[in-house]
Amino acid sequence: MSTFESAVLWTALPYVSFILLVAGLIWRYRTDQFGWTSRSSQWQESAILRWASPLFHFGILLVALGHFMGLVIPKSWTEAAGIPEHVYHLMAVIPGSIAGLMTLVGLAGLLYRRIVVKSVRLATTRNDIFMYVLLAVPVCLGAWATLSTQLLGGADGGYDYRETISPWFRSVFALHPAPELMADVPMVFKLHIVAGLLLFAVWPFTRLVHVVSAPLGYVTRPYVVYRSRPGATATVRPRRGWQPVRTQGTGNQGADDLTPSQGA
């Protein structure tokens, strides 16, 4: 392993990424609460969004859960709980593959919608393009890593990342990084990790910031009602917003003045 890889990629980069993630979220919350949103484009197109968005969001949540279990929970704990390695491998690969497929299909639908639908494409900023690239790269690399090493890894059950990547990940948070554990990790896993760390570094400065907001009132919040302007779809002539003021007599036509006067 080169000095650059050991000192920069597996020692410095994780800390820089997580510091930018935490500090960026604090800075964004203190300076741009009105921009703390995903900037929904549902009103511009809803047919593709209706199926692509749930697929991607539920898929990526399951993928994140699988990453947490595989990286944080030591292999010795599952063995102590009586879960054989083969059983754990099946429990991780089968649901993980389904979640990964959901994420890929959902992301492909969102990207197709973003490119093909003109109104959505025109509303896409350079920041959005940058965010989509950094999001798509680790997702695709993770899918390729799962396919090439886990599903097609042969009869030995594929690559056991809990012997190398997981201990390295925990060593970073223990403030005693062990970059030597990453020496023999397959290249596709290394690229996937680097891409993920870069994504975390830019996370607070993109629309992905909405992910860390807990939607506590989502279920009970009222519907957002969209109304067209009067006359835009109506078949009858709209009423005026004012009516003439009519008074019975003004006194300026004599004592028996009964003629209604026209007011403003």
PDB file of all heavy atoms in Angstrom, residues 2 19 46 54 59 65 67 76 98 104 106 120 140 170 176 188 218 243 258:
ATOM      1  N   SER A   2       0.540   2.225  -0.842  1.00  0.00           N
ATOM      2  CA  SER A   2       1.322   3.448  -0.932  1.00  0.00           C
ATOM      3  C   SER A   2       1.082   4.337   0.278  1.00  0.00           C
ATOM      4  O   SER A   2       0.080   4.200   0.995  1.00  0.00           O
ATOM      5  CB  SER A   2       0.963   4.202  -2.209  1.00  0.00           C
ATOM      6  OG  SER A   2      -0.383   4.657  -2.153  1.00  0.00           O
ATOM      7  N   ILE A  19     -16.078  15.548   9.475  1.00  0.00           N
ATOM      8  CA  ILE A  19     -16.038  16.911  10.033  1.00  0.00           C
ATOM      9  C   ILE A  19     -16.826  17.861   9.140  1.00  0.00           C
ATOM     10  O   ILE A  19     -17.615  18.697   9.626  1.00  0.00           O
ATOM     11  CB  ILE A  19     -14.578  17.381  10.191  1.00  0.00           C
ATOM     12  CG1 ILE A  19     -13.894  16.620  11.328  1.00  0.00           C
ATOM     13  CG2 ILE A  19     -14.530  18.886  10.468  1.00  0.00           C
ATOM     14  CD1 ILE A  19     -12.409  16.909  11.458  1.00  0.00           C
ATOM     15  N   SER A  46     -45.440  14.135 -12.152  1.00  0.00           N
ATOM     16  CA  SER A  46     -45.750  13.229 -11.045  1.00  0.00           C
ATOM     17  C   SER A  46     -45.857  11.768 -11.451  1.00  0.00           C
ATOM     18  O   SER A  46     -45.793  10.892 -10.589  1.00  0.00           O
ATOM     19  CB  SER A  46     -47.067  13.654 -10.376  1.00  0.00           C
ATOM     20  OG  SER A  46     -48.148  13.610 -11.313  1.00  0.00           O
ATOM     21  N   PRO A  54     -40.474   6.514  -4.306  1.00  0.00           N
ATOM     22  CA  PRO A  54     -40.558   5.508  -3.228  1.00  0.00           C
ATOM     23  C   PRO A  54     -39.556   4.372  -3.386  1.00  0.00           C
ATOM     24  O   PRO A  54     -38.978   3.920  -2.395  1.00  0.00           O
ATOM     25  CB  PRO A  54     -42.006   4.990  -3.343  1.00  0.00           C
ATOM     26  CG  PRO A  54     -42.751   6.072  -4.031  1.00  0.00           C
ATOM     27  CD  PRO A  54     -41.768   6.699  -4.976  1.00  0.00           C
ATOM     28  N   GLY A  59     -35.417   1.899  -0.884  1.00  0.00           N
ATOM     29  CA  GLY A  59     -34.243   1.089  -1.183  1.00  0.00           C
ATOM     30  C   GLY A  59     -32.997   1.609  -0.501  1.00  0.00           C
ATOM     31  O   GLY A  59     -32.242   0.844   0.103  1.00  0.00           O
ATOM     32  N   LEU A  65     -29.296   0.699   6.263  1.00  0.00           N
ATOM     33  CA  LEU A  65     -29.428  -0.185   7.413  1.00  0.00           C
ATOM     34  C   LEU A  65     -28.486  -1.377   7.300  1.00  0.00           C
ATOM     35  O   LEU A  65     -27.845  -1.783   8.281  1.00  0.00           O
ATOM     36  CB  LEU A  65     -30.880  -0.664   7.549  1.00  0.00           C
ATOM     37  CG  LEU A  65     -31.188  -1.632   8.700  1.00  0.00           C
ATOM     38  CD1 LEU A  65     -30.883  -0.975  10.046  1.00  0.00           C
ATOM     39  CD2 LEU A  65     -32.648  -2.082   8.645  1.00  0.00           C
ATOM     40  N   HIS A  67     -25.646  -1.464   5.632  1.00  0.00           N
ATOM     41  CA  HIS A  67     -24.284  -0.975   5.852  1.00  0.00           C
ATOM     42  C   HIS A  67     -23.990  -0.794   7.339  1.00  0.00           C
ATOM     43  O   HIS A  67     -22.901  -1.126   7.816  1.00  0.00           O
ATOM     44  CB  HIS A  67     -24.072   0.352   5.119  1.00  0.00           C
ATOM     45  CG  HIS A  67     -23.753   0.195   3.667  1.00  0.00           C
ATOM     46  ND1 HIS A  67     -24.637  -0.348   2.761  1.00  0.00           N
ATOM     47  CD2 HIS A  67     -22.635   0.508   2.957  1.00  0.00           C
ATOM     48  CE1 HIS A  67     -24.086  -0.359   1.562  1.00  0.00           C
ATOM     49  NE2 HIS A  67     -22.866   0.154   1.645  1.00  0.00           N
ATOM     50  N   SER A  76     -17.597 -11.101  15.674  1.00  0.00           N
ATOM     51  CA  SER A  76     -17.597 -11.934  16.872  1.00  0.00           C
ATOM     52  C   SER A  76     -18.938 -11.892  17.588  1.00  0.00           C
ATOM     53  O   SER A  76     -19.324 -12.863  18.245  1.00  0.00           O
ATOM     54  CB  SER A  76     -16.488 -11.481  17.832  1.00  0.00           C
ATOM     55  OG  SER A  76     -16.662 -10.109  18.183  1.00  0.00           O
ATOM     56  N   ILE A  98     -31.929  -7.130  -3.042  1.00  0.00           N
ATOM     57  CA  ILE A  98     -33.252  -6.576  -3.353  1.00  0.00           C
ATOM     58  C   ILE A  98     -33.278  -5.066  -3.110  1.00  0.00           C
ATOM     59  O   ILE A  98     -33.778  -4.290  -3.930  1.00  0.00           O
ATOM     60  CB  ILE A  98     -34.335  -7.281  -2.521  1.00  0.00           C
ATOM     61  CG1 ILE A  98     -34.403  -8.770  -2.890  1.00  0.00           C
ATOM     62  CG2 ILE A  98     -35.689  -6.618  -2.723  1.00  0.00           C
ATOM     63  CD1 ILE A  98     -35.344  -9.580  -2.018  1.00  0.00           C
ATOM     64  N   LEU A 104     -31.288   1.175  -7.415  1.00  0.00           N
ATOM     65  CA  LEU A 104     -30.834   1.411  -8.784  1.00  0.00           C
ATOM     66  C   LEU A 104     -31.989   1.772  -9.708  1.00  0.00           C
ATOM     67  O   LEU A 104     -31.902   2.723 -10.496  1.00  0.00           O
ATOM     68  CB  LEU A 104     -30.109   0.179  -9.314  1.00  0.00           C
ATOM     69  CG  LEU A 104     -28.667  -0.044  -8.846  1.00  0.00           C
ATOM     70  CD1 LEU A 104     -28.154  -1.380  -9.339  1.00  0.00           C
ATOM     71  CD2 LEU A 104     -27.769   1.083  -9.343  1.00  0.00           C
ATOM     72  N   GLY A 106     -34.973   2.948  -8.867  1.00  0.00           N
ATOM     73  CA  GLY A 106     -35.517   4.243  -8.472  1.00  0.00           C
ATOM     74  C   GLY A 106     -34.640   5.398  -8.913  1.00  0.00           C
ATOM     75  O   GLY A 106     -35.128   6.410  -9.426  1.00  0.00           O
ATOM     76  N   VAL A 120     -38.614  19.814 -15.568  1.00  0.00           N
ATOM     77  CA  VAL A 120     -37.740  19.373 -14.484  1.00  0.00           C
ATOM     78  C   VAL A 120     -36.287  19.652 -14.849  1.00  0.00           C
ATOM     79  O   VAL A 120     -35.482  20.065 -14.002  1.00  0.00           O
ATOM     80  CB  VAL A 120     -37.954  17.879 -14.179  1.00  0.00           C
ATOM     81  CG1 VAL A 120     -37.064  17.429 -13.032  1.00  0.00           C
ATOM     82  CG2 VAL A 120     -39.419  17.614 -13.845  1.00  0.00           C
ATOM     83  N   CYS A 140     -23.697   2.917  -7.824  1.00  0.00           N
ATOM     84  CA  CYS A 140     -23.329   1.977  -8.889  1.00  0.00           C
ATOM     85  C   CYS A 140     -22.124   1.128  -8.496  1.00  0.00           C
ATOM     86  O   CYS A 140     -22.086  -0.084  -8.777  1.00  0.00           O
ATOM     87  CB  CYS A 140     -23.036   2.742 -10.179  1.00  0.00           C
ATOM     88  SG  CYS A 140     -24.485   3.556 -10.896  1.00  0.00           S
ATOM     89  N   ARG A 170     -14.495   0.845  12.210  1.00  0.00           N
ATOM     90  CA  ARG A 170     -14.636   1.049  13.658  1.00  0.00           C
ATOM     91  C   ARG A 170     -13.376   1.679  14.250  1.00  0.00           C
ATOM     92  O   ARG A 170     -13.457   2.459  15.209  1.00  0.00           O
ATOM     93  CB  ARG A 170     -14.954  -0.290  14.335  1.00  0.00           C
ATOM     94  CG  ARG A 170     -16.321  -0.846  13.956  1.00  0.00           C
ATOM     95  CD  ARG A 170     -16.726  -1.997  14.877  1.00  0.00           C
ATOM     96  NE  ARG A 170     -15.819  -3.135  14.742  1.00  0.00           N
ATOM     97  CZ  ARG A 170     -16.003  -4.127  13.875  1.00  0.00           C
ATOM     98  NH1 ARG A 170     -17.061  -4.128  13.058  1.00  0.00           N
ATOM     99  NH2 ARG A 170     -15.155  -5.143  13.802  1.00  0.00           N
ATOM    100  N   HIS A 176      -8.291   5.504  16.488  1.00  0.00           N
ATOM    101  CA  HIS A 176      -7.052   4.744  16.302  1.00  0.00           C
ATOM    102  C   HIS A 176      -7.116   4.066  14.931  1.00  0.00           C
ATOM    103  O   HIS A 176      -7.261   2.836  14.838  1.00  0.00           O
ATOM    104  CB  HIS A 176      -6.872   3.705  17.404  1.00  0.00           C
ATOM    105  CG  HIS A 176      -6.607   4.296  18.752  1.00  0.00           C
ATOM    106  ND1 HIS A 176      -5.404   4.869  19.088  1.00  0.00           N
ATOM    107  CD2 HIS A 176      -7.405   4.410  19.845  1.00  0.00           C
ATOM    108  CE1 HIS A 176      -5.455   5.305  20.333  1.00  0.00           C
ATOM    109  NE2 HIS A 176      -6.663   5.051  20.818  1.00  0.00           N
ATOM    110  N   VAL A 188     -12.816  -2.474  -6.153  1.00  0.00           N
ATOM    111  CA  VAL A 188     -14.173  -1.953  -6.283  1.00  0.00           C
ATOM    112  C   VAL A 188     -14.717  -1.503  -4.935  1.00  0.00           C
ATOM    113  O   VAL A 188     -15.450  -0.510  -4.840  1.00  0.00           O
ATOM    114  CB  VAL A 188     -15.099  -3.012  -6.937  1.00  0.00           C
ATOM    115  CG1 VAL A 188     -15.253  -4.242  -6.050  1.00  0.00           C
ATOM    116  CG2 VAL A 188     -16.449  -2.405  -7.270  1.00  0.00           C
ATOM    117  N   TYR A 218     -45.142  14.270   9.400  1.00  0.00           N
ATOM    118  CA  TYR A 218     -45.495  13.922   8.023  1.00  0.00           C
ATOM    119  C   TYR A 218     -46.851  13.236   7.927  1.00  0.00           C
ATOM    120  O   TYR A 218     -47.654  13.525   7.047  1.00  0.00           O
ATOM    121  CB  TYR A 218     -44.410  13.025   7.430  1.00  0.00           C
ATOM    122  CG  TYR A 218     -44.659  12.641   5.983  1.00  0.00           C
ATOM    123  CD1 TYR A 218     -44.331  13.519   4.957  1.00  0.00           C
ATOM    124  CD2 TYR A 218     -45.233  11.418   5.649  1.00  0.00           C
ATOM    125  CE1 TYR A 218     -44.558  13.182   3.632  1.00  0.00           C
ATOM    126  CE2 TYR A 218     -45.467  11.081   4.337  1.00  0.00           C
ATOM    127  CZ  TYR A 218     -45.124  11.963   3.328  1.00  0.00           C
ATOM    128  OH  TYR A 218     -45.366  11.630   2.031  1.00  0.00           O
ATOM    129  N   GLN A 243     -68.997  45.374  -6.056  1.00  0.00           N
ATOM    130  CA  GLN A 243     -70.324  45.689  -6.558  1.00  0.00           C
ATOM    131  C   GLN A 243     -70.608  47.170  -6.328  1.00  0.00           C
ATOM    132  O   GLN A 243     -70.141  47.746  -5.343  1.00  0.00           O
ATOM    133  CB  GLN A 243     -71.393  44.844  -5.840  1.00  0.00           C
ATOM    134  CG  GLN A 243     -71.316  43.355  -6.134  1.00  0.00           C
ATOM    135  CD  GLN A 243     -71.618  43.036  -7.582  1.00  0.00           C
ATOM    136  OE1 GLN A 243     -72.329  43.786  -8.262  1.00  0.00           O
ATOM    137  NE2 GLN A 243     -71.056  41.935  -8.071  1.00  0.00           N
ATOM    138  N   LEU A 258     -86.696  59.742  -4.338  1.00  0.00           N
ATOM    139  CA  LEU A 258     -86.703  58.299  -4.166  1.00  0.00           C
ATOM    140  C   LEU A 258     -85.831  57.604  -5.211  1.00  0.00           C
ATOM    141  O   LEU A 258     -85.777  56.377  -5.259  1.00  0.00           O
ATOM    142  CB  LEU A 258     -88.113  57.737  -4.219  1.00  0.00           C
ATOM    143  CG  LEU A 258     -89.112  58.267  -3.163  1.00  0.00           C
ATOM    144  CD1 LEU A 258     -90.479  57.688  -3.382  1.00  0.00           C
ATOM    145  CD2 LEU A 258     -88.596  57.932  -1.763  1.00  0.00           C
TER     146      LEU A 258
END
